[in-house]
């Protein structure tokens, strides 16, 4: 099996003594989309930040495209981050730059001529279907639109994989559908390997993921298909699935 992202028995305890990852292992195959589920504060963002080497584990191995990154220096990690782009929950856009400039930003160091830079930025904006917004400023966009810009910026480096932190959180249901479609499109059209972390099954994971895992107390209590998740009789899985269903029904009522 050929994994693009692989965690092997990863442990992480912060200085305050809180053990957040207590032996996390998983593999994401090339070209698939994997979702990590779990309630707020369980360690989803911590897992993603480990995958791009922004945090280092206390023990265990993390392999990206076959390379062990836990012992890599910053030069090596910069190369890894070109292959695997993290789309932050906040979007992390530059407020004083236009949408076009935000997407062009990661390309500035590449020494492209103006025409090539224009072509690349236009292509990425087009892929996420926001070409008409290029002259706007981030403050003029909704949270959902900002996420789309953040995805376009991630694409600018032409990575092989994308990581998304809570892509549909704080986004209205209609825009969530748009974001989910974009995530799927990155996989089907560009062949990306992807990982999504979310607390939202019905509005997110179900729509984008080929397989899912549930993080609980620093470990996965489930790792399988969506169908298996819904069929699981593990009490922690059942509770999480039922809470999601109640939230989804409430949301649907609010938006009929
Ligand atoms: N850099 C850090 N230093 C100390 N504690 C942290 C740090 N980052 C995250 N944590 C703690 O780790 C836990 C998991 O955080 P996080 O991964 O952000 O959860 P979530 O599943 O909501 O994304 C939280 O208790 C958080 O306070
Ligand atoms: Mg988080």
């Amino acid at each position: 099996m050929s994994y693009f992202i692989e965690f092997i028995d990863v442990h992480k305890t912060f200085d305050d003594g809180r053990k957040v990852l207590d032996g996390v292992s998983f593999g994401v195959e090339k070209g698939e989309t994997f979702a990590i589920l779990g309630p707020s504060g369980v360690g989803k963002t911590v897992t993603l930040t480990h995958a791009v080497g922004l945090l280092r584990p206390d023990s265990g191995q993390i392999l990206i495209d076959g390379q062990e990154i836990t012992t890599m220096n910053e030069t090596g990690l910069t190369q890894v981050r070109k292959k695997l782009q993290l789309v932050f929950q906040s979007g992390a856009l530059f407020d004083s730059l236009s949408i076009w400039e935000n997407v062009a930003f990661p390309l500035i160091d590449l020494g492209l001529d103006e025409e090539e830079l224009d072509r690349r930025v236009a292509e990425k904006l087009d892929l996420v279907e926001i070409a008409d917004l290029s002259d706007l400023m981030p403050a003029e966009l909704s949270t959902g639109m900002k996420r789309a810009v953040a995805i376009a910026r991630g694409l600018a480096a032409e990575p092989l994989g994308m990581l998304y932190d809570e892509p549909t959180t704080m986004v209205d249901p209609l825009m969530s559908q748009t974001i989910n479609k974009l995530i799927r499109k990155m996989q089907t059209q560009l062949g990306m390997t992807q990982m999504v972390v979310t607390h939202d099954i019905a509005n997110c994971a179900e729509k984008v993921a080929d397989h899912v895992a549930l993080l609980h107390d620093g470990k996965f209590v489930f790792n399988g298909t969506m169908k298996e998740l819904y069929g699981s009789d593990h009490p922690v899985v059942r509770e999480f699935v039922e809470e999601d269903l109640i939230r989804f029904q409430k949301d649907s009522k609010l938006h009929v």
Side-chain angles (χ1 to χ4, degrees), residues 28 32-34 162 164 183 186-187 192-196:
V28 189
E32 82 164 345
T33 301
F34 173 55
M162 299 278 277
Y164 305 90
I183 294 173
M186 298 310 127
Q187 181 186 14
M192 294 265 189
T193 305
Q194 312 192 99
M195 202 157 106
V196 176

Side-chain angles (χ1 to χ4, degrees), residues 14 18 20 39-46:
F14 286 109
R18 206 190 122 104
V20 178
S40 177
V42 80
K44 302 184 297 299
T45 299
V46 166

